[in-house]
Amino acid sequence: MRQLVVGLLAHVDAGKTTLAEMMLYQSGAIRTLGRVDRGDAHLDADEMERRRGITIFSAQARLEHDGALIMLVDAPGHVDFCAEAERTISALDVAVLVVAANEGVRAHTRTMWRLLCQRRVPTVVFVNKCDLDVPDRAALLEDLRVRLDDRCVGVDDDEAWALTDEAALEELLETGTLGADARRRLVWECKAMPVLCGSARRPEDVDALLDLLADLAQSRGGKDGAVAGGPASCGPRHP
């Protein structure tokens, strides 16, 4: 079975633990959804975490989706526990950076992104809380590109993906579309950061994230970026 170590990272209150709960629930790893406000989230098992309603220690869980075994790691989002999150990053194959749509990119989001770049970790962005009254998806994506990194690309925007890489652009011009293999390569090489907009409370949105992660597992590059097309080259575009 294809395997992937996936870490969830975010600023505090972005909905990261809620997302983890829904991922576990949708994959069948748990039978009931826990909630942070009830103090019964499965990955916030420490008494202090449940009392304060925040993640303090990194926690792990296993789930299976579409033929992929995913080791899910929920890292702390509070700035006071950044060192714990940094230790987690070193062990990841892929990171899911969670951003709240009603708050956008915050200082701690940028801190997490810089750490991911330093470790050359391929990253997917999940824009959460899109069920609230927030800007449209085009505006959210543009904000990510300006304030975080211009490699952020909408999952269905072939042109944006192709513009990150010469070979991908040639493929798009020749065939009119960009294949799954090219997309996977761009993510593993850190040339593209796919962006999904949705809500951690909507099963269909979380299923889309799980589908993307399972698809990436088909060409798992690992920490050294050893995929067809060359080594990873993740690095910050904006200081």
Side-chain angles (χ1 to χ4, degrees):
M1 180 175 288
R2 294 169 282 129
Q3 300 184 24
L4 208 62
V5 180
V6 177
L8 300 182
L9 302 164
H11 61 76
V12 68
D13 293 332
K16 173 176 55 60
T17 300
T18 300
L19 176 61
E21 289 289 313
M22 185 61 81
M23 292 174 73
L24 293 171
Y25 181 75
Q26 285 300 103
S27 66
I30 58 175
R31 294 185 177 181
T32 58
L33 279 170
R35 289 177 60 102
V36 175
D37 55 0
R38 290 200 308 253
D40 60 358
H42 289 78
L43 294 183
D44 284 347
D46 184 82
E47 181 181 351
M48 183 164 37
E49 290 180 313
R50 296 190 169 190
R51 186 172 64 250
R52 297 180 60 180
I54 61 173
T55 302
I56 299 175
F57 307 105
S58 295
Q60 302 83 38
R62 291 161 56 98
L63 63 88
E64 295 181 19
H65 182 80
D66 194 21
L69 174 62
I70 296 174
M71 177 62 73
L72 189 65
V73 183
D74 183 18
H78 198 285
V79 66
D80 289 348
F81 309 110
C82 186
E84 178 73 9
E86 185 172 0
R87 284 191 292 270
T88 298
I89 288 172
S90 300
L92 303 180
D93 293 316
V94 175
V96 176
L97 187 62
V98 185
V99 178
N102 58 334
E103 296 181 335
V105 175
R106 297 175 59 180
H108 193 55
T109 313
R110 291 172 62 87
T111 297
M112 290 293 99
W113 170 238
R114 284 194 293 269
L115 291 171
L116 290 168
C117 286
Q118 290 170 9
R119 301 294 191 276
R120 301 170 68 170
V121 179
T123 301
V124 174
V125 179
F126 185 82
V127 182
N128 191 25
K129 303 188 180 183
C130 288
D131 50 340
L132 304 178
D133 185 15
V134 296
D136 63 35
R137 297 192 178 194
L140 289 169
L141 181 56
E142 182 59 24
D143 184 61
L144 287 172
R145 292 178 60 84
V146 170
R147 299 180 60 198
L148 187 61
D149 198 286
D150 59 11
R151 286 168 289 181
C152 293
V153 295
V155 290
D156 297 322
D157 190 343
D158 276 1
E159 182 177 351
W161 282 80
L163 289 175
T164 66
D165 177 78
E166 185 176 343
L169 181 58
E170 289 179 359
E171 179 179 331
L172 180 63
L173 293 174
E174 289 177 2
T175 67
T177 188
L178 196 62
D181 287 343
R183 288 170 176 263
R184 296 185 197 109
R185 177 179 63 81
L186 292 173
V187 175
W188 283 115
E189 292 181 2
C190 295
K191 292 182 176 180
M193 298 165 54
V195 178
L196 294 90
C197 296
S199 169
R201 298 190 184 279
R202 290 199 296 240
E204 61 271 22
D205 294 341
V206 176
D207 283 344
L209 174 61
L210 288 169
D211 288 345
L212 190 156
L213 294 172
D215 183 69
L216 282 174
Q218 292 192 36
S219 59
R220 180 180 179 273
K223 296 293 294 175
D224 59 358
V227 294
S233 57
C234 184
R237 297 287 180 90
H238 303 306

